[in-house]
Amino acid sequence: MRCTDACVYPFPLGDSSVRRMAQEAGELGFDSIVAVGARRCIFRGVEVVSGTVIQGTDQGEVQAALRKLGGDPGIVMATAGDYALNRALLHTSRVRILRGIHATPRNSFDHILSRIAAERQVAVDIDLSILVSGRDYARQRALQRYADLTRLQSRVGFPLTLSSGARSILQMKSTRDIFALCSIFGMDEDGVEGAFLGIANALCPEKAVEVVE
Amino acid sequence: MKPRPPTMRGKRRYILARLDPPSVTFSGRDLYYAIAESLTSLYGDSGMACIEPSVVSCTGGYAIIRCTRSTEGRVVAGLAAVHQVQEVSVAVRSIRTSGTMRSLRRHLAGMGPGAPLGEQDAYFQGRSWTGVQYPGGKVDLFEKGFKNQQPLFLTEEDLEE
């Protein structure tokens, strides 16, 4: 898993089946995708990792949503909110990715939460769909937040992931497109390549001590 | 008027882009308006003036877009941000950048055909659809009896289940 689209929504959440999305992802240069609501499988050489997005306005709602999850929810992604919620999410052991950071207040993810994310190896997702479908203020705000995240990540080193947030194969982006879109908010090629590895790191986080036989 | 010598002309770059889905057809002018809107909203009027985009050709599901040299990265980002042409959902995927159109056309000639293989009736989710098949086992489903509806994008394996 060297190049992963961190979040797509296949049928019935979108208009494309998970197989078609996997095939399209392979043609666009990815070797794996995280599909919300899909089962883990490999289709035409592209690994499909199941994912679950949970949303809550406070910690109680998030915990309730986590309790409702079935046996194998795959990668659990949580929608970010205000500072207190983000802090709680980072301390929740099952949450691997923080999503939707572009829609949160500017002070909701600062250098302190960045350090916590780096320590706990919780990734922060950069959703590129807002750069494509958004216009005017929404897109400007997302660009500011992503530029801020990129700066924080280069200093603190928490994991980043990149997702197309696609609900259709027409919304999926190639790796070439993602490099170009990320250059708008100042993420360089090394940063993008590192973010493509974010899901692999989330699945197999680095341990403080690892026994190698 | 005597043409300007090649060494004094502005340098250009050409970008080959694939238009998805292949079943949708539109003119180069419509594509230009979509690209211009995308680039203007991303980089503003001054950026757009620097880029000088132009749709050189738009046929067979592929387009060649011209821009000034050193702005090709911006154009690729602008193409990635195009999601509708004439209110129809499309994807404009940049494939390759080159300094000449000839090399892009040579590259295009070596690529596989993207044209549909045929149509068939399909039954999916308890409803009747018209399925348009593409190479690689791809099937686009259009519901029968509805006009201008959004298609479903599946594979042959999905229909066999």
Side-chain angles (χ1 to χ4, degrees), chain A residues 11 15-17 19-20 23-24 27-28 43-44 132-133 135 139 168-170 172-173 176-177 180-181 184, chain B residues 21 37 41 76-77 80-81 83 89 91 93-94 96-97 136 138-140 152-155 157-158 161:
Chain A
F11 188 81
D15 65 8
S16 309
S17 70
R19 291 193 182 102
R20 181 70 182 268
Q23 187 175 359
E24 199 72 23
E27 291 173 7
L28 295 174
F43 185 72
R44 301 200 179 177
V132 176
S133 59
R135 285 289 182 273
R139 180 152 74 177
S168 167
I169 56 162
L170 302 178
M172 295 177 80
K173 298 292 160 211
R176 179 181 160 93
D177 291 343
L181 285 171
I184 299 173
Chain B
E37 191 274 333
S41 68
V76 171
H83 60 110
S89 293
R93 308 195 195 283
S94 66
R96 196 181 179 92
T97 305
K138 299 175 184 174
V139 182
D140 294 356
L152 289 182
F153 301 101
L154 309 177
T155 61
E157 288 88 345
D158 294 315
E161 279 184 357

Side-chain angles (χ1 to χ4, degrees), chain B residues 47-115:
Chain B
M48 179 74 177
C50 291
I51 293 167
E52 293 179 42
S54 164
V55 176
V56 179
S57 80
C58 180
T59 51
Y62 291 91
I64 295 176
I65 295 110
R66 187 179 68 193
C67 64
T68 52
R69 192 172 69 174
S70 81
T71 62
E72 54 268 23
R74 291 187 192 185
V75 177
V76 171
L79 293 179
V82 173
H83 60 110
Q84 281 191 329
V85 176
Q86 290 286 307
E87 298 185 356
V88 177
S89 293
V90 296
V92 184
R93 308 195 195 283
S94 66
I95 298 170
R96 196 181 179 92
T97 305
S98 176
T100 61
M101 282 173 53
R102 192 171 67 169
S103 69
L104 289 185
R105 291 206 165 114
R106 201 183 300 143
H107 181 77
L108 193 56
M111 291 172 70

Side-chain angles (χ1 to χ4, degrees), chain A residues 30-48:
Chain A
F30 292 94
D31 62 7
S32 49
I33 56 173
V34 178
V36 176
R39 276 178 292 180
R40 189 170 191 147
C41 64
I42 294 176
F43 185 72
R44 301 200 179 177
V46 177
E47 188 173 355
V48 178

Side-chain angles (χ1 to χ4, degrees), chain A residues 54-59 61-62 77-90 95 97-110 113 124 141 145:
Chain A
I54 56 169
Q55 197 164 9
T57 52
D58 57 33
Q59 195 180 356
E61 283 184 25
V62 171
M77 298 173 265
T79 308
D82 59 10
Y83 187 89
L85 177 63
N86 292 346
R87 194 180 182 108
L89 289 173
L90 290 174
V95 173
I97 298 172
L98 214 55
R99 270 182 66 75
I101 207 88
H102 62 271
T104 60
R106 191 177 172 86
N107 58 1
S108 65
F109 193 83
D110 61 1
L113 294 194
V124 179
R141 206 173 89 160
R145 296 289 282 130

